[in-house]
Amino acid sequence: RFAVVAYGKLGGKELGYASDLDIVFVYDDPAPEAAENYARLAQRSNNWLTSVTAAGVLYETDLRLRPDGVSGLLVTPLDSMRRYQLQQAWLWEHQALTRARAVAGDATIGRAFEDLRQAVLCTPRDAAALRSGIAEMRAKMLEAHPNTSALFDIKHDRGGIIDVEFMVQYLVLGHACAHPALAANAGNLALLSTAAGLGLVSETEAGEVRGAYRQFRSLQHQLRLAGERYARVDPSRVATASAAVKTLWTRLL
């Protein structure tokens, strides 16, 4: 009665070169010794995933998305996760749920997690508070990843990948209550098309931002394969793409 829930690029089915694994270990077992036993299994699983091979570390894992972060237990009871997400979770944690899924382990836990995810994403929210909260979180992320170079950071700079992700998350959290199709874990490109089909953004806007996202991801893959530490390019290479993203951001948020 143990499962692995993935967030981020793995959860959103967009794993790239050098991506880390954002995962949470969940169990559903009333036995008194369950927490200790599953914590041991989770630790062992994490050790396997982070094995050092002849080619380097297999994967970097990030376990901080579990309830209460690094101060919380390594394994989370399903009921505790449910209570936390419905009663205590921060907005950024609900943003993370837009691309989360069970990827391994007990199928019953996986279905229960998906039911919880749908319930959270389809909860009605105040539009103004949501816009303000997402814009504030975006500003914090920008401050945490300063770029003092003359190059454009494909992931972190304004008009880049994170802006696209945040806009999609805003559309999901703001409109899934009326349009449950937006709660599907379908990826950013598909969700932009869904939003356009629902009239939440124009077909032109969606098409331009989808094209920008594809370009960003392609460049990111190339740079990661080349061993670059940062995914940064000359701003002129992505000027049209970043302008399209900024335009939609201004209209939505």
Side-chain angles (χ1 to χ4, degrees):
R1 302 181 188 179
F2 178 84
V4 183
V5 170
Y7 291 81
K9 286 290 189 290
L10 176 58
K13 307 170 191 173
E14 293 184 342
L15 204 62
Y17 305 106
S19 290
D20 60 4
L21 305 182
D22 295 292
I23 52 178
V24 173
F25 299 105
V26 185
Y27 73 95
D28 187 24
D29 190 333
E33 68 277 11
E36 181 179 351
N37 288 342
Y38 290 120
R40 192 177 295 115
L41 175 58
Q43 185 62 64
R44 185 174 298 176
S45 300
N46 191 56
N47 289 342
W48 288 332
L49 290 169
T50 57
S51 296
V52 177
T53 72
V57 176
L58 185 58
Y59 290 105
E60 298 285 350
T61 59
D62 189 338
L63 312 179
R64 292 174 295 177
L65 278 168
R66 63 189 187 271
D68 300 318
V70 293
S71 63
L73 297 174
L74 187 60
V75 291
T76 302
L78 180 60
D79 285 343
S80 296
M81 173 173 276
R82 184 180 292 109
R83 284 194 301 272
Y84 182 84
Q85 287 291 347
L86 293 174
Q87 300 173 17
Q88 299 172 261
W90 297 87
L91 173 60
W92 68 266
E93 292 174 294
H94 286 173
Q95 287 179 247
L97 274 183
T98 62
R99 49 181 188 170
R101 62 191 175 105
V103 292
D106 185 85
T108 302
I109 295 178
R111 288 191 293 270
F113 174 79
E114 179 58 21
D115 290 343
L116 171 62
R117 196 184 77 86
Q118 292 282 333
V120 171
L121 297 185
C122 293
T123 298
R125 292 172 174 83
D126 178 79
L130 179 63
R131 281 195 299 272
S132 174
I134 287 182
E136 181 180 347
M137 179 55 60
R138 180 65 184 101
K140 288 181 179 179
M141 288 193 67
L142 194 63
E143 184 179 344
H145 296 89
N147 175 16
T148 57
S149 75
L151 300 175
F152 178 80
D153 191 301
I154 293 169
K155 180 177 181 180
H156 294 290
D157 281 355
R158 296 313 306 258
I161 285 176
I162 289 180
D163 275 6
V164 178
E165 293 175 346
F166 270 47
M167 286 191 291
V168 171
Q169 290 161 11
Y170 165 74
L171 290 167
V172 172
L173 294 175
H175 298 280
C177 57
H179 306 289
L182 287 168
N185 187 344
N188 292 305
L189 295 174
L191 288 172
L192 281 167
S193 293
T194 299
L198 294 168
L200 302 175
V201 298
S202 73
E203 293 286 352
T204 299
E205 290 170 327
E208 290 177 347
V209 173
R210 280 162 53 89
Y213 191 73
R214 285 195 182 98
Q215 182 182 1
F216 293 151
R217 292 284 287 154
S218 177
L219 287 169
Q220 190 179 50
H221 290 326
Q222 293 171 30
L223 292 165
R224 293 301 188 200
L225 278 174
E228 296 291 339
R229 181 180 179 185
Y230 298 109
R232 293 174 179 172
V233 297
D234 188 294
S236 62
R237 293 184 65 183
V238 293
T240 300
S242 62
V245 173
K246 290 176 183 176
T247 296
L248 184 56
W249 178 278
T250 300
R251 190 175 79 72
L252 288 179
L253 293 152

